[in-house]
Amino acid sequence: MTLGGVRLTSLVEGAEGRATPLYVYDLDGIVAAARDLSEGFGAAPHLIAYAVKANSAGPIVRALAEAGCGADVVSGPELELCLRAGVPADRIVYSGVGKTLADLDAALGAGDRGILAVQVESVEEIPRVEARAAALGRVGRVSVRLNPGIDVDTHAHVATGHDEAKFGVPLVDLPRAWEALGQSPHLRLVGLTTHIGSQLMSTDEYLAAADELMKVARAHETKGAPLEFLDFGGGFGIDYGGSSPLPPSAFARAATLRLAEGGFAGRTLVMEPGRALVGPYGVLVAGVIMHKHARAGGVERDWLVIDAGMNDLVRPALYQALHRIEPLSSPPPAAEEATCRYRVVGPVCESSDDFGEHPLPRAAPKWVGIRDAGAYGFTMASEYNGRRLATEVFLRGGQVVATLDASRWPSWVERRLGSGSPPLGA
Ligand code: LLP
């Protein structure tokens, strides 16, 4: 298996038992994905606010910032990370239903006039932002996240724009939000935002949400000042092996067109992709601990026990996600007799620590690569069962250009920035 022009075996050979599990990322692929997406907007003004929760590694955030991306953050530490990684404050939006007062201070106090927008997710949040803006002597730049009441065909855990979801302000509650905003000299409404869910496979619901948002924007602008931006959110699906999703640029193209049709040509369009920019460009490399053969209930079973577990990549356990798993050293076997349908599992003491069934060479490989692990992999990892966080390796131009070893830094921010990081194996 190769990634970013590098044979992945070259990263683990000679470092058995120490180097794996190992996340490997292709920075060139990530930057190219951002450029492709950007081209989808044509000449229209836009901001790609990368959803940092998908992968907050410093080398990735820096590379995307250099490529012109902003960021969508969901916590004070993510905000600090982005600012220190070179994302300008005026390119950062901050989403989330539970921002603390300290988080709000950091957002409102950043740069010359705070971040691009604090995206309020409830009417109740408005006085909280107002109080902190007043205390800091600043005008709080806010956008309102709408919950358009649109269900999408995705895993229930990642659908966010329907009536039962905790996210955003439902359309019926908007008059209360306008009233709260209208009364405050310390707040300025600069945008509207929405995000209906993740791993979207068509633009239909995305555009339906955009239509709702534009309806609200039109109604608002007949009375109030023009908005600086409209933010349609992220959620662009990727191919985990069984589907052929639209390229992210198709969302940008369709949204730009719809924005113009809606009467907002020339208005800055913000999008918040996470998964699509990083997911396909990360592989989780795991060492094979052993092949376990068992016969229970009259059924023969072949388990491949690997040294990566649900603590490293929780998506299969949490969302029943199936990530392709392939041997590192050879292409996936073609001949039926040479293969075995292994049930690939990790060492964690949970039945859900299970990566599913995969055809692999009967002679168990030494290492396997779990594909499409660049998004919501490391960022959702834990130290459950006393397991250390995986090392991360970053490739650019066919070379290892950075590594992050979580155990070396005292705080999450230092750890994610990876200042002074040593090369692999040092
Ligand atoms: N904007 C907001 C407000 C979000 O909540 C999210 C993701 C995004 C943007 C980026 O969505 P994306 O483009 O990555 O789909 N852990 C789950 C995904 C959770 C998504 C949470 N919000 C997974 O592994 O599938």
Side-chain angles (χ1 to χ4, degrees):
M1 189 187 284
T2 62
L3 185 72
V6 173
R7 267 181 49 252
L8 293 183
T9 39
S10 71
L11 300 177
V12 287
E13 266 162 359
E16 282 161 56
R18 180 162 58 90
T20 56
L22 188 74
Y23 272 102
V24 188
Y25 308 109
D26 170 17
L27 293 176
D28 293 324
I30 290 169
V31 168
R35 297 234 158 90
D36 270 9
L37 174 58
S38 190
E39 276 166 22
F41 295 90
H46 64 275
L47 172 65
I48 298 173
Y50 166 57
V52 172
K53 66 174 86 72
N55 193 321
S56 52
I60 290 177
V61 180
R62 280 191 202 101
L64 287 172
E66 279 161 21
C69 292
D72 166 44
V73 302
V74 292
S75 69
E78 277 194 1
L79 172 60
E80 183 188 346
L81 171 96
C82 288
L83 291 169
R84 289 179 59 185
V87 184
D90 61 4
R91 292 181 154 261
I92 299 177
V93 291
Y94 183 176
S95 313
V97 298
K99 304 172 197 83
T100 66
L101 298 180
D103 294 340
L104 290 174
D105 282 357
L108 297 166
D112 300 336
R113 52 171 201 176
I115 61 169
L116 176 61
V118 173
Q119 319 233 68
V120 297
E121 301 232 9
S122 60
V123 178
E124 292 75 8
E125 205 176 13
I126 295 170
R128 289 169 64 82
V129 183
E130 182 187 24
R132 295 322 304 158
L136 294 172
R138 286 202 159 182
V139 173
R141 299 168 52 81
V142 300
S143 66
V144 173
R145 176 168 174 180
L146 310 179
N147 181 332
I150 293 175
D151 213 352
V152 287
D153 183 18
T154 187
H155 193 282
H157 289 5
V158 299
T160 53
H162 55 85
D163 292 344
E164 301 279 319
K166 67 176 176 178
F167 299 101
V169 179
L171 301 178
V172 292
D173 288 337
L174 283 175
R176 286 202 292 134
W178 303 148
E179 198 182 327
L181 284 164
Q183 285 165 357
S184 174
H186 302 292
L187 298 177
R188 182 182 306 145
L189 181 70
V190 294
L192 291 176
T193 180
T194 191
H195 173 80
I196 55 168
S198 205
Q199 189 59 7
L200 306 179
M201 302 308 277
S202 112
T203 57
D204 294 352
E205 290 99 345
Y206 192 79
L207 295 177
D211 287 342
E212 290 298 335
L213 188 144
M214 288 191 287
K215 233 186 264 170
V216 174
R218 273 191 293 272
H220 174 79
E221 290 192 353
T222 56
K223 294 174 267 157
L227 300 165
E228 291 177 21
F229 68 85
L230 303 184
D231 177 350
F232 293 169
F236 319 139
I238 65 167
D239 178 10
Y240 282 102
S243 52
S244 44
L246 294 167
S249 58
F251 283 84
R253 214 165 284 124
T256 303
L257 187 64
R258 191 61 73 96
L259 190 75
E261 288 167 357
F264 293 96
R267 197 70 57 95
T268 298
L269 177 54
V270 179
M271 281 191 177
E272 302 173 359
R275 187 193 316 268
L277 296 188
V278 289
Y281 312 104
V283 170
L284 175 57
V285 175
V288 172
I289 295 176
M290 67 182 130
H291 167 194
K292 167 179 171 176
H293 182 82
R295 197 157 54 143
V299 180
E300 307 267 345
R301 287 186 179 84
D302 288 287
W303 307 89
L304 197 68
V305 186
I306 62 174
D307 65 7
M310 64 187 283
N311 71 298
D312 301 298
L313 179 66
V314 77
R315 302 194 68 261
L318 201 52
Y319 316 115
Q320 296 71 54
L322 189 68
H323 285 249
R324 288 171 287 180
I325 299 186
E326 294 164 17
L328 222 54
S329 51
S330 58
E336 212 36 57
E337 59 275 17
T339 72
C340 174
R341 286 202 70 80
Y342 276 108
R343 190 81 184 229
V344 181
V345 295
V348 172
C349 292
E350 296 268 347
S351 292
S352 55
D353 185 25
D354 186 334
F355 295 102
E357 223 175 63
H358 300 269
L360 288 160
R362 179 159 285 286
K366 221 166 168 181
W367 297 284
V368 293
I370 306 179
R371 285 202 180 271
D372 308 307
Y376 307 108
F378 186 92
T379 50
M380 296 182 80
S382 76
E383 292 169 296
Y384 185 42
N385 277 201
R387 292 172 51 75
R388 69 171 182 85
L389 294 172
T391 301
E392 295 170 283
V393 175
F394 303 83
L395 308 174
R396 199 148 205 185
Q399 304 282 327
V400 173
V401 291
T403 65
L404 292 182
D405 175 349
S407 64
R408 287 179 186 263
W409 290 282
S411 80
W412 185 85
V413 171
E414 302 300 336
R415 198 198 281 167
R416 302 308 286 153
L417 284 168
S419 346
S421 182
L424 182 72

